[in-house]
Amino acid sequence: MKTFNKLIRDKIPEIIEEAGNNYEMEVLDDEDYFKALNKKLQEELDEYKASKEIMELADLVEIIYAILDYKNISRAEFEKMRKEKQKERGGFEKKLFLKKAEED
């Protein structure tokens, strides 16, 4: 058996069973689940950076939604936070790249 030791999507056990394969898994407690979500977030980001595939961004969003659920933050509330930050600091449409700036 191959060792994975990572958070998986909910239907993966069914997919493994349908393929006729055995597996070993556990259900994480809240603390370990949150740690695994954060590790998975980095894993998916690394996969996107390596492949530039849009489907990897979909995986990132799925992990972000899971983190929001864990923290009891609705998608609407999160979108409101995102829009407030965009209004305050702007977006990335202008493609600006800061090279240097004085700091206090």
Side-chain angles (χ1 to χ4, degrees):
M1 268 207 242
K2 183 177 177 182
T3 301
F4 289 93
N5 290 326
K6 67 179 188 176
L7 190 65
I8 58 172
R9 288 178 175 261
D10 296 338
K11 293 185 179 182
I12 297 300
E14 293 172 30
I15 293 168
I16 294 170
E17 287 172 9
E18 287 173 4
N21 295 322
N22 295 314
Y23 62 91
E24 181 182 323
M25 64 165 225
E26 68 178 290
V27 176
L28 300 174
D29 63 27
D30 285 347
E31 184 179 337
D32 288 337
Y33 174 60
F34 187 62
K35 288 178 187 176
L37 281 171
N38 284 296
K39 184 176 179 182
K40 188 73 171 179
L41 183 65
Q42 185 62 57
E43 175 188 322
E44 296 299 346
L45 177 59
D46 291 344
E47 288 178 12
Y48 170 73
K49 288 169 68 176
S51 71
K52 309 292 189 281
E53 294 291 327
I54 297 302
M55 285 306 294
E56 297 301 338
L57 291 178
D59 289 340
L60 274 167
V61 170
E62 195 68 33
I63 296 297
I64 290 167
Y65 285 169
I67 292 169
L68 292 173
D69 291 344
Y70 177 83
K71 292 184 169 268
N72 295 314
I73 298 171
S74 71
R75 285 155 181 72
E77 185 179 352
F78 179 70
E79 183 62 12
K80 181 180 174 190
M81 294 165 64
R82 186 195 68 78
K83 285 181 179 180
E84 285 175 6
K85 189 162 190 176
Q86 183 185 42
K87 182 178 179 182
E88 181 182 305
R89 313 260 332 212
F92 295 95
E93 294 83 15
K94 294 181 181 179
K95 304 176 187 175
L96 304 176
F97 185 82
L98 183 64
K99 294 178 87 172
K100 295 180 182 180
E102 288 186 2
E103 291 185 332
D104 293 331

